[in-house]
Amino acid sequence: MRLQLALKDALIGAVVAALLFIPLVALRTDVGSTGALTLRYRWTDAAILIGLVFLGRLALVLWTGRTGLRPSTSAGPWTLRLQRLGKLAAPAFLAFALVLPAIPGIDRYWLDLGILVLTYVMLGWGLNIVVGLAGLLDLGYVAFYAVGAYSYALLAQYFGLSFWVCLPLAGILAAFWGVLLGFPVLRLRGDYLAIVTLAFGEIIRVVLLNWVSLTGGPNGISGIPRPSFFGLPFSMSGGEGTFAGFFGLEPSSVHRVIFLYYLILALALLTNWVTIRLRRQPLGRAWEALREDEIACRALGINVTITKLTAFALGAMFGGFAGAFFATRQAFISPESFTFIESAIILAIVVLGGLGSQIGVAVAALVLIGGTEIFRDLQEWRMLVFGGAMVVIMVLRPRGLVGTRTPSIALGKRRAIDGKLVGEGHG
Amino acid sequence: MSRPILEVQGLTMRFGGLTAVSSVSFAAGAGEITALIGPNGAGKTTLFNCVTGFYRPSEGIIRLHKPGVPPTELQRLAGHRIARAGVARTFQNIRLFPGMTALENLLIAQHNTLMASTGWGIGAVLGLSGYAKAERQAVELAKRWLTATDLMDRADDPAGALPYGQQRRLEIARAMCTEPALLCLDEPAAGLNPRESDELARLLLDIRAEGTSILLIEHDMGVVMRISDRVVVLDHGVLIADGRPAEVRGDAKVIAAYLGEDEEEVTA
């Protein structure tokens, strides 16, 4: 009986897979030497994929006896274990991040990857304030990242200001734009809010692209000053006034990378610390209350406008910090770095991690950014693996890796709240 | 009636061509329970939404006389300022924050007092201001109302997981945590069993005894007649009776309104 059911289900799965994979995988066009398109057939690859789907469905139904996977928002067995480890997991992650540059065998490639992952962790945590806590769906978060990056680049280029002066300025300017965007869109909810923030992200990019006299347009800004170690530049000359010369070290280009690594780690931890502190205070609780029920908030005398604006401004500020860091790390920025796909990736990190969960967002950033980097060897299959993993997570855990909410205060023991009860926000 | 806490004068609310409330005037006494009753569609909830700032009335004045401060004209205030002026409300379809614990719900109700102690939110992040003390006081107030509503053992449970009756009580506790002068309840006994209704009536009498005035919409006449000091009856947006429970019960117009007897039927 079960075998019959399993065979039928696996067959249907295989037919769907065939419909998908035959045009997508089996038929491939290549550009020939003459420039003409030639059709290449890859029947074996398609057959393997269809076979995998057939066997996968067969095994799934035979093993679980169900045709579907059961989604879960509550803590599964492994999350419970993780939560028990949770008190250790976060410090362990932190300790690992702190000693990473000192681990033997960690070369420049791994440090660069670490910097990239941490940048997205920070952006994820920043967006988590807006989307995860306040429940405002922001599809244009990259705009604030761009504002921060261009703030630093332009201030350094036109006024010769140093990175350490520009970092807070970039944050403040991004927060200012956050408020500016916040005012008109506060009336909007849900889908409408998402569309307007999406448009805002595009407007910023298009302005940067077309205001050639100020931003250099598509050519971007190059020669952005690198950060200094409290006034000591990282220079290969090893002279008296440089970092290597001051500490009597052999000049090395890795010094700057290590410094950048710790800089982004510190910035990300600042974001995390502020968010954790605020969550336990009236402002953070008001954000979460807003996500749960805006009308009840109003009846309790909470100024909904101001509360939403603070969420927007604070999220934007951390995006601005990350942007300034990005500019100083790359030494070159152009509007191409701030396309919609960046916003989408950051949002995917927040959603996959679990709305409002700090550790979930960090893990999701590690998996999403680090994972795509590590699977680079898979070449054209990389995105398939990536997409498949995303689908599996969303099917099994629709509320993200950490779908539960931890109360901000408790008389007794803090017990995680099932994701089913927690609101997702309506904008 | 003693000195009024709430004075409503010539209140009219129109939605396009529909007049939901038509020049209604009444007063709710300080330290009293005033019940607002009437058949379905009489305009009770509309009137309620005007008092609590969810609608801006087309005409009329709503004046709150909070002891010790000059009277406030509520119809001029922005929605979120009504609660700060001293009016708290509950909702006909419960509106708790379901994903947050009972205690968190009660702390959000004290947002404004707590926020004032955080130094623009920045001081508390840096650990500079006297926020810890303010939070301890807020938790004490929350505990007091959790005890009063018999929810102390559910303090750390998410509000959405509580049974219906407890959710109703938690919503009242949350409204009381804003320390209002006037508590507005929209059908608090709806969906409660007789025992829970009795407990509710006792809770409301306790709240009154502590000096908070209550304005109440209710269909459960048992509760209304037992605890109200004054009953105001609306029908088709017009005030048809206003007096002690015993007086209103015997009023011919009220009986006619409740039995659905109107002029057309009489003349037909």
Side-chain angles (χ1 to χ4, degrees):
Chain A
M1 187 62 214
R2 186 185 266 203
L3 185 71
Q4 201 182 355
L5 181 77
L7 277 172
K8 193 180 153 205
D9 183 69
L11 212 61
I12 294 172
V15 169
V16 173
L19 286 175
L20 267 176
F21 288 128
I22 288 174
L24 284 177
V25 177
L27 306 175
R28 176 162 176 118
T29 47
D30 284 325
V31 182
S33 52
T34 57
L37 284 175
T38 53
L39 194 59
R40 190 152 62 88
Y41 299 100
R42 298 192 295 183
W43 294 112
T44 5
D45 289 354
I48 289 171
L49 284 171
I50 295 167
L52 278 177
V53 169
F54 180 82
L55 291 175
R57 291 294 308 190
L58 196 68
L60 175 78
V61 180
L62 282 179
W63 185 35
T64 63
R66 284 192 311 262
T67 52
L69 295 169
R70 188 172 291 164
S72 153
T73 51
S74 53
W78 63 271
T79 33
L80 277 177
R81 240 168 284 145
L82 196 79
Q83 265 161 4
R84 232 170 287 142
L85 284 174
K87 289 221 161 58
L88 297 172
F93 271 124
L94 180 61
F96 176 71
L98 279 173
V99 301
L100 181 72
I103 295 172
I106 294 293
D107 56 5
R108 195 153 167 190
Y109 169 77
W110 289 104
L111 280 178
D112 274 329
L113 181 58
I115 291 172
L116 188 69
V117 168
L118 281 173
T119 311
Y120 278 94
V121 169
M122 176 167 180
L123 287 168
W125 277 340
L127 185 63
N128 197 19
I129 296 175
V130 184
V131 180
L133 294 181
L136 303 163
L137 184 54
D138 185 350
L139 289 181
Y141 191 62
V142 78
F144 307 122
Y145 190 42
V147 167
Y150 271 87
S151 297
Y152 171 51
L154 293 174
L155 285 170
Q157 197 177 45
Y158 288 98
F159 301 103
L161 297 178
S162 81
F163 175 73
W164 294 106
V165 176
C166 289
L167 184 68
L169 284 178
I172 290 167
L173 281 169
F176 172 74
W177 279 100
V179 173
L180 219 60
L181 164 70
F183 264 117
V185 305
L186 278 176
R187 282 156 224 287
L188 306 176
R189 317 190 61 175
D191 310 348
Y192 303 97
L193 178 81
I195 289 171
V196 173
T197 51
L198 175 88
F200 177 75
E202 285 302 288
I203 288 170
I204 292 273
R205 191 179 64 83
V206 170
V207 167
L208 292 175
L209 200 60
N210 289 288
W211 195 349
V212 179
S213 61
L214 182 75
T215 65
N219 297 327
I221 301 174
S222 53
I224 300 167
R226 299 302 208 138
S228 59
F229 186 82
F230 302 105
L232 298 170
F234 293 92
S235 160
M236 291 302 286
S237 71
E240 197 39 34
T242 67
F243 176 78
F246 187 84
F247 290 100
L249 298 167
E250 192 70 22
S252 162
S253 63
V254 172
H255 288 167
R256 176 166 46 215
V257 182
I258 292 178
F259 175 66
L260 283 172
Y261 176 82
Y262 280 117
L263 179 61
I264 186 65
L265 183 61
L267 284 172
L269 289 177
L270 175 77
T271 313
N272 187 30
W273 181 73
V274 169
T275 311
I276 288 178
R277 297 274 303 188
L278 277 176
R279 241 199 106 220
R280 295 186 184 161
Q281 284 170 10
L283 188 58
R285 274 194 214 116
W287 288 339
E288 291 202 80
L290 212 58
R291 179 191 65 200
E292 299 279 315
D293 195 327
E294 191 177 324
I295 288 173
C297 278
R298 200 145 63 97
L300 295 173
I302 294 175
N303 189 334
V304 173
T305 314
I306 296 287
T307 310
K308 279 187 180 176
L309 280 180
T310 52
F312 254 112
L314 215 66
M317 186 180 81
F318 290 121
F321 285 157
F325 172 82
F326 176 75
T328 195
R329 178 197 169 209
Q330 300 280 347
F332 167 76
I333 51 169
S334 75
E336 245 173 77
S337 308
F338 308 107
T339 48
F340 169 67
I341 191 72
E342 292 294 316
S343 293
I345 289 175
I346 303 166
L347 188 66
I349 287 173
V350 175
V351 172
L352 279 180
L355 296 172
S357 158
Q358 295 293 99
I359 184 87
V361 168
V363 172
L366 188 69
V367 171
L368 235 61
I369 305 300
T372 42
E373 204 49 46
I374 285 164
F375 290 124
R376 200 166 272 282
D377 294 343
L378 293 176
Q379 296 172 7
E380 60 207 274
W381 303 104
R382 187 164 64 132
M383 281 300 151
L384 187 70
V385 172
F386 185 72
M390 225 148 146
V391 169
V392 168
I393 292 179
M394 283 292 105
V395 165
L396 287 176
R397 303 195 64 77
R399 293 297 294 253
L401 293 172
V402 181
T404 55
R405 175 182 176 273
T406 319
S408 63
I409 190 169
L411 294 180
K413 204 164 146 283
R414 272 171 224 245
R415 289 190 304 267
I417 294 171
D418 195 315
K420 273 191 287 255
L421 295 169
V422 181
E424 291 166 6
H426 307 282
Chain B
M1 181 171 66
S2 62
R3 169 182 74 71
I5 180 92
L6 181 79
E7 217 184 321
V8 175
Q9 273 175 17
L11 187 79
T12 302
M13 183 74 210
R14 290 187 206 95
F15 298 102
L18 178 83
T19 307
V21 175
S22 167
S23 75
V24 168
S25 301
F26 71 93
E32 291 189 355
I33 296 180
T34 308
L36 193 59
I37 64 168
N40 288 329
K44 305 181 296 290
T45 299
T46 305
L47 184 104
F48 217 66
N49 283 338
C50 289
V51 171
T52 52
F54 278 78
Y55 293 156
R56 196 165 286 260
S58 314
E59 281 164 39
I61 298 169
I62 305 163
R63 211 177 274 127
L64 182 74
H65 299 269
K66 199 175 163 182
V69 287
T72 330
E73 298 211 348
L74 295 182
Q75 83 278 10
R76 294 191 179 174
L77 296 182
H80 66 272
R81 295 211 175 266
I82 304 266
R84 296 185 198 187
V87 178
R89 74 167 291 178
T90 65
F91 295 85
Q92 196 173 338
N93 42 351
I94 305 172
R95 281 187 174 274
L96 288 165
F97 306 117
M100 306 176 90
T101 65
L103 179 65
E104 283 181 305
N105 269 275
L106 299 192
L107 287 186
I108 292 160
Q110 301 174 60
H111 177 79
N112 290 317
T113 26
L114 279 173
M115 203 59 201
S117 72
T118 60
W120 298 92
I122 301 164
V125 171
L126 300 174
L128 294 177
S129 65
Y131 173 67
K133 187 169 162 246
E135 193 183 68
R136 268 198 301 280
Q137 285 170 352
V139 171
E140 280 313 309
L141 181 66
K143 276 185 184 168
R144 198 158 73 77
W145 281 107
L146 283 171
T147 315
T149 50
D150 197 19
L151 288 169
M152 201 55 192
D153 52 335
R154 306 303 301 260
D156 293 338
D157 288 335
L162 299 180
Y164 187 80
Q166 296 190 348
Q167 290 196 10
R168 281 260 175 233
R169 292 209 299 277
L170 181 61
E171 208 189 13
I172 294 173
R174 187 180 67 178
M176 286 312 293
C177 276
T178 66
E179 306 197 281
L182 177 68
L183 174 66
C184 300
L185 304 170
D186 197 346
E187 297 198 21
L192 299 187
N193 63 36
R195 195 174 54 84
E196 287 173 325
S197 288
D198 278 351
E199 283 169 9
L200 176 81
R202 225 170 302 130
L203 174 65
L204 296 187
L205 290 174
D206 286 347
I207 289 172
R208 184 185 67 174
E210 291 202 22
T212 305
S213 318
I214 295 176
L215 180 66
L216 168 82
I217 293 181
E218 190 48 71
H219 277 304
D220 184 333
M221 283 307 137
V223 173
V224 169
M225 292 302 161
R226 194 142 31 102
I227 66 171
S228 305
D229 298 294
R230 187 175 193 82
V231 178
V232 175
V233 191
L234 288 185
D235 186 30
H236 292 103
V238 184
L239 187 133
I240 56 169
D242 177 3
R244 308 246 141 239
E247 297 164 23
V248 167
R249 197 180 348 209
D251 192 299
K253 274 191 287 188
V254 176
I255 294 165
Y258 266 91
L259 294 179
E261 193 183 351
D262 54 34
E263 288 92 45
E264 289 125 68
E265 275 176 357
V266 173
T267 51

